[in-house]
Amino acid sequence: MKTQIDPNKYEKVFEKTDGLKNVKTHYCPGCGHGVVHRITMEIVKELDIQHKTIGIAPVGCSVFAYYYMNVDMQQAAHGRACAVATGIKRMLPDHYVFTYQGDGDLAAIGTAETIHACSRGENITIIFINNAIYGMTGGQMAPTTILGQKSSTSPEGRNPQRDGMPINMSEIVALLPGTVYVERVAVNKPGRVRKAKKAILKGFKAQALKKGTSFIEVVSNCNTNWKMTPVEANKWIDDVLLKQYPLGVFKDETGL
Amino acid sequence: MAKQKGMVVIDTENCKGCGLCIANCPTNTLGFSENFNANGYHYSEMKQDTCIACQSCALVCPDVVITVYRLKKEKTV
């Protein structure tokens, strides 16, 4: 179905950025990854750094980010995206290097690489998608799963005596002297998407200052494994998930 | 009927029918189509001419299938 739009009557105010490749994503309907892919690539286009941006894809649902983002990408071993980004940034210091990781990648198997990259203050941008569950493998409990949340390995809810407490990565890395900008945002509402875009834009701009790591945590949904519809999942983020993961700026030394 | 100020064009073949654009539309312009696309999803479409070109649907669309157009302002003489 092709709708004809009269160009004399209407002006285009929003269209798909050509920073994204013109392919269909494999993500579930309603998944927040698509939104974060879009805002990241819009920023790359707006800053006009497409020719010198290198992204690091993780292992997880977003492993195929290199099929969707129209920049140079490298896929890293599970959890090692920050280590790979360190190597690339040190060899090509005038390039913009970002990692795009989920919570199973960054907060579970890759905690050491993440914390040490932030501690060294590498000039990279870390985009951390937190959906409080292991999405790709079938909804197992992640370190970020909140107390009482049901998953396939905690069918009666996460129990703090048996499973421990959830981990808040933004608060942890904000304590490290190497980070320059740490913010937690969400993408469940149009206004929050605008704020998320501003945060990631600041993260990319912070790389040019060469002061340290910028870390942006994006609270996203996983409606398939939360067993909800996309609309319910976005409401659940507001009602429940953001109580454990409050939004806000945890550290900002960029001076921007 | 409110005056139409905008229009959305939806790439129906890539729409996955998640319904986030419909839930976030402030004027209830969008709704699910009765038809399916090739993947079997009820894609979303404009149900009434109340679009105000606010771009809320496009901002939350995970598959970036929405293009938003705004009516140009008529020049006053």
Side-chain angles (χ1 to χ4, degrees):
Chain A
M1 199 176 77
K2 198 84 181 161
T3 319
Q4 291 297 320
I5 302 287
D6 182 4
N8 297 322
K9 215 172 157 196
Y10 287 97
E11 55 182 337
K12 200 180 274 181
V13 288
F14 185 96
E15 66 175 334
K16 185 173 182 172
T17 169
D18 57 355
L20 287 169
K21 292 180 191 168
N22 199 11
V23 290
K24 193 177 211 169
T25 63
H26 72 285
Y27 301 121
C28 305
C31 177
H33 273 309
V35 179
V36 187
H37 282 25
R38 175 178 68 76
I39 57 181
T40 308
M41 287 301 108
E42 279 180 355
I43 287 160
V44 167
K45 290 298 283 186
E46 279 167 23
L47 294 175
D48 198 20
I49 52 169
Q50 197 176 9
H51 58 290
K52 52 176 183 176
T53 301
I54 300 168
I56 318 293
V59 170
C61 282
S62 49
V63 63
F64 291 135
Y66 46 80
Y67 287 154
Y68 310 137
M69 295 182 177
N70 203 358
V71 292
D72 292 333
M73 299 284 287
Q74 166 69 47
Q75 204 260 321
H78 199 1
R80 274 67 193 175
C82 291
V84 174
T86 300
I88 292 174
K89 184 72 180 182
R90 287 190 178 196
M91 289 311 292
L92 302 165
D94 57 334
H95 280 56
Y96 286 81
V97 180
F98 72 94
T99 74
Y100 186 99
Q101 297 173 272
D103 53 342
D105 194 75
L106 184 143
I109 193 168
T111 319
E113 280 77 6
T114 308
I115 286 184
H116 284 283
C118 292
S119 170
R120 291 191 303 269
E122 303 292 343
N123 285 307
I124 56 175
T125 301
I126 300 169
I127 301 171
F128 167 40
I129 313 297
N130 181 359
N131 59 9
I133 208 158
Y134 288 148
M136 184 184 71
T137 51
Q140 288 86 357
M141 183 173 60
T144 46
T145 298
I146 60 170
L147 292 181
Q149 185 184 345
K150 288 179 182 173
S151 66
S152 59
T153 48
S154 60
E156 299 193 339
R158 184 173 186 158
N159 174 356
Q161 274 80 44
R162 192 186 59 210
D163 310 318
M165 297 292 283
I167 185 167
N168 287 28
M169 285 306 291
S170 286
E171 282 87 336
I172 293 170
V173 299
L175 294 173
L176 299 170
T179 50
V180 64
Y181 180 63
V182 182
E183 181 167 0
R184 185 184 285 126
V185 291
V187 289
N188 61 334
K189 284 180 178 175
R192 292 215 171 109
V193 175
R194 286 198 172 93
K195 277 186 188 162
K197 187 171 173 184
K198 275 185 194 151
I200 297 176
L201 178 66
K202 210 168 189 180
F204 272 87
K205 282 182 176 169
Q207 278 195 49
L209 303 173
K210 300 196 188 302
K211 279 186 183 168
T213 314
S214 40
F215 185 98
I216 295 104
E217 175 174 347
V218 183
V219 179
S220 181
N221 64 17
C222 182
N223 51 73
T224 304
N225 288 308
W226 292 353
K227 321 276 187 229
M228 297 177 193
T229 66
V231 176
E232 284 169 3
N234 277 357
K235 192 166 179 300
W236 192 78
I237 290 179
D238 262 346
D239 296 346
V240 183
L241 199 58
L242 291 185
K243 294 197 169 60
Q244 173 68 34
Y245 300 112
L247 304 180
V249 181
F250 295 95
K251 189 175 187 180
D252 186 358
E253 294 173 357
T254 57
L256 291 171
Chain B
M1 182 75 84
K3 194 177 167 235
Q4 185 176 4
K5 292 177 188 164
M7 184 178 248
V8 295
V9 177
I10 295 168
D11 177 6
T12 53
E13 277 311 305
N14 285 331
C15 177
K16 290 177 185 160
C18 63
L20 291 180
C21 53
I22 298 167
N24 283 292
C25 180
T27 57
N28 296 321
T29 303
L30 297 165
F32 285 117
S33 171
E34 289 173 6
N35 302 321
F36 302 101
N37 62 15
N39 291 302
Y41 293 118
H42 287 288
Y43 52 84
S44 69
E45 63 178 14
M46 275 179 81
K47 289 286 184 191
Q48 48 184 351
D49 295 340
T50 48
C51 179
I52 53 169
C54 69
Q55 305 166 39
S56 292
C57 52
L59 285 170
V60 295
C61 177
D63 298 291
V64 206
V65 297
I66 300 176
T67 310
V68 186
Y69 294 87
R70 187 193 293 142
L71 198 64
K72 282 182 183 169
K73 279 184 186 142
E74 285 169 24
K75 285 184 185 126
T76 47
V77 180

